Amino acid sequence: MFGFIFRRLLWMIPSFFAVTVVAFVIIQLPPGDFVTSYAADLATSGSPADSATLDALRVRYGLDQPMVVQYLTWVGNAFRGDLGMSFEYRSPVASIIWDRLGMTTLVAFCTLAFVWLVAFPVGIFSAVKQYSIGDYAVTFLSFLGMATPSFLLALVVMYLSVEFLGYSVGGLFSPEQVNAPWSWAKVIDLLGHLWIPVVVLGVAGIAALVRIMRANLLDELGKPYVETGRAKGLPEATLILRYPTRVALNPFISTVGWVLPVLVSGDVIVSSVLSLPTSGPILIQALKTQDMYLGGALIMFQCVLVLIGTLLSDILLAFVDPRIRYDN
């Protein structure tokens, strides 16, 4: 196991540099740069900037340098903890990400807990009660949840909340609590708004994990060791939860690989629709305005967290599933 972890850590080093190259190239792919987008915005507002001013901005932001020089400067500064300045927000990229990280983490972990708490028992029920009315109902709802786009579900929930519950669901706080200091009233207000993005973001994950859990558990329920347990007189609930369910838990452990990237990005489109104070909307804005340092940092963090999350998933699987061993 230690040899496997060491080899994976070594492979993460070239993977990290490859990720930084991909992140930087992605943000540079659209034609033009931030100054081009800035000039277009000025022209739209009726006050176009002259070419000398635009050239001075390119020199100021280092956009006049070749792409290779810009990349090496960015990576070198990143190793020193300096992710650069955001062109759009006129502030350090690290502070912008840090300001949004708290709420992003809260939404992501609450969504993960909601997905696991619902998908785990529902998947077991669907497998144990195979071909029953309940199983058919769960299957239908799972397919419906997987087929419904999250942003469409967000719009429906927003409409129902305004129409029948009588309050707006934009953001995570009521207007009067947005800038208020933390108190019990603000926490209660947060909980009153938090359930909406958690449900919207969790529906697709629940639907997918229920189907995976059902399929994996059905594979295990037909194996000889389950019949042997029944023959020895083990209670059905104890037998199912202690043995086949433990093996079928692999998909839940594997979700660690995508949970960590969600901590940075969240669901970008849903966050924009619901006006959530997470990092998703600022990623979209950075890509639209070609704010390369902010957009590149967010994309890079997502890719790096995929590497870390995948490593954690592999290690946890080795402890949970006795069939997995990293021996020579």
Side-chain angles (χ1 to χ4, degrees):
M1 172 64 75
F2 290 106
F4 167 78
I5 296 175
F6 180 72
R7 289 193 300 272
R8 287 293 300 271
L9 290 175
L10 288 181
W11 274 108
M12 286 174 65
I13 297 175
S15 300
F16 170 77
F17 283 103
V19 161
T20 59
V21 172
V22 172
F24 195 81
V25 169
I26 287 176
I27 204 66
Q28 297 275 13
L29 282 179
D33 50 30
F34 172 77
V35 176
T36 306
S37 303
Y38 178 68
D41 292 339
L42 291 179
T44 303
S45 64
S47 55
D50 58 89
S51 58
T53 302
L54 298 180
D55 291 339
L57 286 174
R58 286 192 173 90
V59 173
R60 175 184 175 186
Y61 294 133
L63 300 177
D64 60 326
Q65 301 292 329
M67 186 184 298
V68 175
V69 176
Q70 295 182 42
Y71 167 76
L72 294 176
T73 303
W74 177 56
V75 171
N77 292 335
F79 275 111
R80 294 193 295 269
D82 180 12
L83 297 176
M85 294 287 294
S86 168
F87 304 153
E88 178 77 10
Y89 296 94
R90 303 291 197 278
S91 60
V93 169
S95 65
I96 296 174
I97 296 177
W98 182 256
D99 290 342
R100 297 289 184 114
L101 195 58
M103 287 302 170
T104 306
T105 304
L106 176 64
V107 173
F109 273 120
C110 290
T111 303
L112 177 65
F114 173 66
V115 168
W116 282 0
L117 289 175
V118 175
F120 181 71
V122 173
I124 295 175
F125 167 80
S126 183
V128 173
K129 303 295 183 180
Q130 185 183 18
Y131 302 137
S132 65
I133 296 178
D135 180 33
Y136 286 127
V138 169
T139 300
F140 171 76
L141 292 176
S142 297
F143 286 138
L144 184 63
M146 294 174 66
T148 304
S150 296
F151 69 89
L152 179 60
L153 181 61
L155 293 174
V156 172
V157 172
M158 290 175 69
Y159 170 77
L160 295 177
S161 299
V162 173
E163 187 70 19
F164 297 102
L165 300 180
Y167 67 91
S168 174
V169 296
L172 292 176
F173 299 97
S174 301
E176 63 274 10
Q177 294 288 350
V178 172
N179 297 317
W182 282 100
S183 62
W184 282 113
K186 187 168 184 176
V187 172
I188 294 174
D189 184 71
L190 171 63
L191 296 177
H193 289 78
L194 183 62
W195 68 271
I196 295 175
V198 167
V199 170
V200 170
L201 294 172
V203 164
I206 290 173
L209 282 182
V210 164
R211 301 302 302 164
I212 295 173
M213 185 69 181
R214 178 183 183 274
N216 283 12
L217 190 54
L218 284 176
D219 288 341
E220 296 299 322
L221 289 176
K223 292 186 176 180
Y225 73 88
V226 178
E227 298 299 330
T228 302
R230 288 196 180 101
K232 289 185 175 181
L234 287 176
E236 189 69 15
T238 302
L239 171 64
I240 292 174
L241 293 177
R242 181 175 295 179
Y243 299 107
T245 300
R246 179 183 175 185
V247 178
L249 274 177
N250 289 3
F252 287 81
I253 304 300
S254 300
T255 57
V256 176
W258 57 262
V259 166
L260 292 180
V262 169
L263 297 183
V264 173
S265 65
D267 192 303
V268 177
I269 299 178
V270 173
S271 299
S272 300
V273 171
L274 294 177
S275 302
L276 301 180
T278 58
S279 2
I282 64 173
L283 176 58
I284 288 184
Q285 184 63 22
L287 296 176
K288 286 169 57 178
T289 60
Q290 294 182 264
D291 192 347
M292 64 179 188
Y293 292 134
L294 179 57
L298 288 170
I299 295 174
M300 179 185 67
F301 279 154
Q302 292 180 57
C303 297
V304 170
L305 290 176
V306 168
L307 298 175
I308 298 175
T310 304
L311 176 62
L312 293 177
S313 296
D314 292 340
I315 296 173
L316 291 174
L317 283 173
F319 287 104
V320 172
D321 193 340
R323 300 174 301 176
I324 299 176
R325 287 295 178 267
Y326 298 114
D327 297 331
N328 293 328

